[in-house]
Amino acid sequence: DFGDKQRATELMSEAEKIAEQLTAWDGKSQWAFGLLALYQAKREPVRAMGWLEKIKHDGVFVDFGGDLAVKLLPEHAAAAEEAWKRTTNRGRRAWRIHGGERGVQLADVCYRLASIDRPRAERIARNTDEWPLRVRALGAIAFRLAESDAAGARKLLESIVREALPHPVVDNEFEPFGYAGLAAPLTAAWLLPIAERIDPQLGRECFWRSLALRPARPRHDQLDDQDAQIDIELTMMLSRYDRRVARSLLDPLIARLPELARCGSANVDERHARGVCTHAGSEAGTIIAAAIHVDPRWAAEVFESTSKGDGESMRRFRSWLRDDWIGALSRHGIDRWEQEDQIFSAYFANYWRPKPEE
């Protein structure tokens, strides 16, 4: 960072010698290999890819490989595409991938590539198997294109909205890619800040499409169900544009808070029951965080009315809720809706913000 390239080279050489002696399957070794790949990306992409290939754990490989593809740009476009291909191939056999983080990586890759090699960026986007990720990749390209070709950006965004998004009358099931945050309503809403920049009228269409794509409400409420999770996240996203509509999504979930509080504060010993209670407490926290997006004063009233009660378990539960509530409330301006340092969180809207380019 201070310009001493010789010392930096010596340190990197020393680090690589140490890393060569690490046990291949050790968890900390996997992270060391991944970090070395990222540090070598700009100077020596071939060595960077070599360190990436040393990672044996598929999930860790996919995480670091996606970050490496971003890091390789804009200097090494072909290497970035190759890194992304390898993560895609390994991802098909990985037991666990966070779809939201994968979508962020893909959006960043396509955004950076679009300004230097648009055909390559579109090839990566359109070759993506999962349609929610494909929408995000194409949306990122349109966002970048808006800087130099407003008409082309609008044409691409229109094709995404009209052709890539599902149609609620035709498509009966909208299955997320192993993660509720990639459900159809949230994918449509994810385009809103991009449409805001390119064509506000298409933004209106995305807004109402996100509501039309909501799955049918179940007849019987369940704690920690996916439909509720989708509505909580959609509330946070849409509150940026229409607080009244957003509140209407959250009101039925507010009514569930007393039940969630009773479950979340329960003092149980059995492992499965403890897991259910933990999920209930987490859902209560995200509901209150979503209320902050709509109206912080209303959220304060909800918090006070939800966490009433005596006893050690309720006091502990109230403390957990307070931490979530204050954490969400402390975010100001655009940070309330957009990702901070590319970290996914249950307590803000997770709209994409392009990663700063070095």
Side-chain angles (χ1 to χ4, degrees):
D1 287 344
F2 292 103
D4 190 343
K5 294 183 179 180
Q6 181 178 348
R7 181 59 180 146
T9 301
E10 292 170 357
L11 285 169
M12 181 60 71
S13 177
E14 183 180 353
E16 289 187 306
K17 288 177 183 177
I18 296 171
E20 289 286 2
Q21 303 172 45
L22 296 176
T23 305
W25 278 98
D26 178 74
K28 292 181 179 178
S29 299
Q30 308 287 295
W31 278 81
F33 299 153
L35 290 172
L36 283 169
L38 295 180
Y39 290 140
Q40 290 282 23
K42 295 294 185 186
R43 292 193 312 155
E44 298 189 55
V46 175
R47 291 179 71 85
M49 295 289 279
W51 283 112
L52 179 67
E53 287 299 329
K54 286 181 176 289
I55 299 175
K56 304 298 183 184
H57 187 285
D58 291 330
V60 177
F61 182 96
V62 171
D63 286 344
F64 274 109
D67 288 340
L68 178 60
V70 177
K71 194 84 170 176
L72 285 164
L73 294 167
E75 294 91 342
H76 310 290
E81 183 178 18
E82 178 60 25
W84 189 262
K85 279 184 182 178
R86 294 186 191 186
T87 64
T88 300
N89 293 335
R90 288 281 289 271
R92 292 191 176 106
R93 70 188 200 198
W95 69 273
R96 178 183 177 275
I97 295 176
H98 193 294
E101 292 175 359
R102 184 76 171 155
V104 172
Q105 291 174 335
L106 180 57
D108 280 327
V109 166
C110 290
Y111 176 81
R112 292 190 179 195
L113 257 180
S115 63
I116 58 172
D117 191 338
R118 182 181 171 186
R120 192 188 296 271
E122 291 205 21
R123 181 167 64 243
I124 291 175
R126 297 188 190 280
N127 286 342
T128 301
D129 294 335
E130 300 80 20
W131 74 265
L133 299 185
R134 193 161 56 247
V135 166
R136 284 160 168 76
L138 292 171
I141 294 172
F143 190 68
R144 191 59 182 258
L145 195 59
E147 298 173 6
S148 57
D149 181 2
R154 190 196 181 285
K155 183 178 179 181
L156 177 57
L157 180 62
E158 185 175 21
S159 72
I160 297 169
V161 174
R162 305 276 166 79
E163 299 168 19
L165 288 177
H167 295 278
V169 176
V170 177
D171 301 315
N172 193 35
E173 295 292 334
F174 311 115
E175 290 296 329
F177 172 51
Y179 170 67
L182 297 182
L186 304 179
T187 299
W190 186 91
L191 293 169
L192 279 166
I194 297 173
E196 181 182 338
R197 166 78 182 275
I198 296 171
D199 184 343
Q201 189 58 40
L202 282 172
R204 289 175 61 85
E205 191 166 334
C206 290
F207 183 94
W208 294 112
R209 181 77 70 88
S210 70
L211 292 168
L213 287 170
R214 291 169 66 226
R217 302 295 94 188
R219 292 186 178 183
H220 301 288
D221 285 346
Q222 304 174 35
L223 294 178
D224 193 44
D225 67 275
Q226 193 176 82
D227 293 334
Q229 185 180 347
I230 290 171
D231 275 354
I232 293 168
E233 295 192 35
L234 192 58
T235 293
M236 288 190 271
M237 298 176 89
L238 297 189
S239 64
R240 178 170 171 174
Y241 299 94
D242 191 319
R243 295 175 189 270
R244 180 181 59 81
V245 170
R247 178 163 176 166
S248 71
L249 292 176
L250 201 61
D251 277 334
L253 298 172
I254 294 291
R256 293 169 55 170
L257 277 173
E259 182 183 4
L260 291 167
R262 284 194 299 274
C263 184
S265 63
N267 196 5
V268 293
D269 296 324
E270 201 274 326
R271 182 178 178 182
H272 174 72
R274 190 163 60 247
V276 172
C277 292
T278 300
H279 281 302
S282 176
E283 184 172 323
T286 54
I287 289 172
I288 291 174
I292 288 172
H293 286 68
V294 176
D295 182 344
R297 290 183 176 82
W298 175 52
E301 295 172 4
V302 170
F303 171 75
E304 292 297 337
S305 63
T306 298
S307 51
K308 290 179 179 177
D310 297 322
E312 177 60 30
S313 59
M314 178 54 81
R315 282 195 293 271
R316 187 167 59 248
F317 179 70
R318 182 181 177 86
S319 177
W320 290 339
L321 282 185
R322 185 188 293 111
D323 289 346
D324 296 339
W325 188 76
I326 291 174
L329 187 63
S330 66
R331 300 176 61 84
H332 294 285
I334 206 70
D335 287 339
R336 185 170 292 173
W337 287 282
E338 295 184 356
Q339 288 155 356
E340 184 178 51
D341 299 326
Q342 308 299 297
I343 297 173
F344 235 76
S345 170
Y347 303 108
F348 57 101
N350 292 311
Y351 275 128
W352 170 69
R353 178 189 299 175
K355 197 170 187 177
E357 297 179 72
E358 295 85 354

